[in-house]
Amino acid sequence: MRVHVGPEPAAELQDAVLAAGAELAPAAEATGLVWFGAGPERFAEYDHPGLEWVQLPAAGIEPWLAAGALREGITVTSAAGSYAETVAEHALGLMLAGARGLHQAARAERWDRPERARTLFGTTVGIVGAGGIGRALIGLLRPFGVRVLAINRSGRPVDGAERTWPAEDPDALGTLLERSDHVVVAAPATAATAALIDAAALARMKDDAWLINVARGSLVDTGALVEALDAGRIGGAALDVTDPEPLPDGHPLFGHPRALITPHSANPKPLLLPALARRVRDNVRRRLAGEPLIGVVDLEAGY
Amino acid sequence: MRVHVGPEPAAELQDAVLAAGAELAPAAEATGLVWFGAGPERFAEYDHPGLEWVQLPAAGIEPWLAAGALREGITVTSAAGSYAETVAEHALGLMLAGARGLHQAARAERWDRPERARTLFGTTVGIVGAGGIGRALIGLLRPFGVRVLAINRSGRPVDGAERTWPAEDPDALGTLLERSDHVVVAAPATAATAALIDAAALARMKDDAWLINVARGSLVDTGALVEALDAGRIGGAALDVTDPEPLPDGHPLFGHPRALITPHSANPKPLLLPALARRVRDNVRRRLAGEPLIGVVDLEAGY
């Protein structure tokens, strides 16, 4: 298979094409096109009758639909979901940091043994809002032999979860919180999820459990969380997102012995291109093997 | 299968027996014995003709051999290697902390974006001294699709490594250091490995690579490391072991923007019992399935 990377010939994406076993070719000779570095207004320059597949660089394809750039007869894939792994990796880092007290070790100026240490092996991980990030996290957690409890909108069983509840089940959240050693919040920010983790929810968590938020700050009641941390009612909290965001200078969560804050950096700009490169490599490999592509866009439906 | 846990009936080990599908029984009725909480001097109280298998709680079994407590006809398993996973988990936590700048985030008192962020996905991990900890780490890294380069004593290929060199190969270390994004030191402390990572070795590392040491402090030249970190010649260092150890109060590695120090806490006391419980669960399950046990002791050979 011959693939072109353009308009911008990003080396990382070209490497991904080659690593998957395809060849690089000029646009006019390529059956596959990995689009990067420009908007849909330039697509016509690259289209030709032999073009069969276009990989777009973003998850949302509204500008392409609005511009009417794509035509029938081309398979189009978006980058939807490709950044979930990046966020899941950050979540795993936060979980391990909490379990091993890395936040406290980082602050130490002397050789102090940590008060306690925990492991992820064999523990129970509750994922509140198990979509793409949750699925990616379950994949990273597989070697740890954890038990996964999940809540999602539909209640459709999440692969790798022992139990999946629909969000509308009134007992779901409390049950998940009571059983989990790590509670990972990865749900979308909606009216229904605002302050989902409030004082009552925190009270149902185990007293040594950690709360991880990689979704949106609005899902956690910050005041209630600070109280729970101060009182030692939960093990700790590692938050990549906060309410308010940014947290004001000197906020009690900064430097809190039971907290680790990262500044909304779970999916940072420098990692967007590597994530896209992984998706390109996957999809080129799948196309060569005749397997279904990831992120195929339905032009009629618009996503 | 009927298993007894004793002399101390540790609940965590009893749970592991039950989770694997066996029953708990008084010692006189058990075919399996999980030994915990006493030395070999009390073993005779628990031995009986129907006893077929004993799981010992430590990796070294010298006291048992010295006491002559074990007899022919019993399969004996030690806990050898069961703590490797605990250390590997810590190493993964240190790698992710370095990649995502968690050490700097932990110290921040304000919402500062990290200077850079890295991912483990698709990177190259070099393991210097790939024994039990290295193998366990490779297992944890599998979902990240990393390329693993390994050095061990024999040069016998390490499962999951793209390349394994014998330690005696004079080009091995330099080649591994030049290619690796993360260098994990997990080799034993011997005369041959003293200051293995010295100024010359550090100079061969990539300028954004991280050095992780979960072995012994003597393997890394601390002075040379501090110089390399100060000059920004490598990405950073995360060390669970140091030379000297403990590091003196106020040592420049504490709080260094490119360093994270944990106080020899990769395999802490509170995690010994969970690690043993995992081994018990594994071996009970294997025995029920008729599979080979892990850590079988050769009484003749003495290990």
Side-chain angles (χ1 to χ4, degrees), chain B residues 87-129:
Chain B
V87 178
E89 177 182 49
H90 196 87
L92 178 63
L94 294 178
M95 292 169 73
L96 287 169
R100 295 308 185 102
L102 302 186
H103 57 303
Q104 288 287 67
R107 296 165 187 156
E109 289 290 331
R110 36 174 297 183
W111 192 266
D112 279 325
R113 288 299 169 114
E115 282 169 46
R116 49 187 175 176
R118 300 181 63 214
T119 178
L120 265 56
F121 280 101
T123 59
T124 298
V125 177
I127 303 179
V128 180

Side-chain angles (χ1 to χ4, degrees), chain B residues 88 91 95 124-142 146-153 158-167 172-173 175-177 179-188 196-197 210-212 214-215 219:
Chain B
M95 292 169 73
T124 298
V125 177
I127 303 179
V128 180
I133 293 166
R135 284 193 301 273
L137 180 60
I138 289 171
L140 298 184
L141 287 170
R142 199 152 286 148
V146 298
R147 169 182 297 134
V148 175
L149 305 175
I151 295 175
N152 62 15
R153 204 169 302 197
V158 173
D159 203 31
E162 182 181 284
R163 184 78 195 268
T164 306
W165 293 276
L173 182 62
T175 307
L176 180 147
L177 294 171
R179 295 188 190 167
S180 297
D181 302 298
H182 310 268
V183 175
V184 180
V185 178
L196 188 68
I197 307 297
W210 271 68
L211 177 71
I212 316 290
V214 289
L219 277 77

Side-chain angles (χ1 to χ4, degrees), chain B residues 232-276:
Chain B
R233 283 200 297 274
I234 66 171
L239 312 175
D240 186 54
V241 290
T242 58
D243 179 27
E245 188 174 311
L247 272 189
D249 290 6
H251 189 280
L253 284 174
F254 286 122
H256 194 292
R258 296 180 186 274
L260 171 58
I261 306 298
T262 56
H264 207 141
S265 58
N267 188 27
K269 278 217 178 97
L271 298 188
L272 294 177
L273 192 55
L276 180 60

Side-chain angles (χ1 to χ4, degrees), chain A residues 86 89 100 106-107 119-120, chain B residues 86 89 100 106-107 119-120:
Chain A
T86 309
E89 177 182 49
R100 294 309 184 102
R107 295 165 188 156
T119 178
L120 265 55
Chain B
T86 309
E89 177 182 49
R100 295 308 185 102
R107 296 165 187 156
T119 178
L120 265 56

Side-chain angles (χ1 to χ4, degrees), chain A residues 51-73:
Chain A
L51 186 62
E52 298 172 1
W53 166 54
V54 179
Q55 171 71 53
L56 298 179
I61 57 153
E62 297 78 8
W64 290 79
L65 296 172
L70 301 166
R71 61 172 170 81
E72 288 294 310

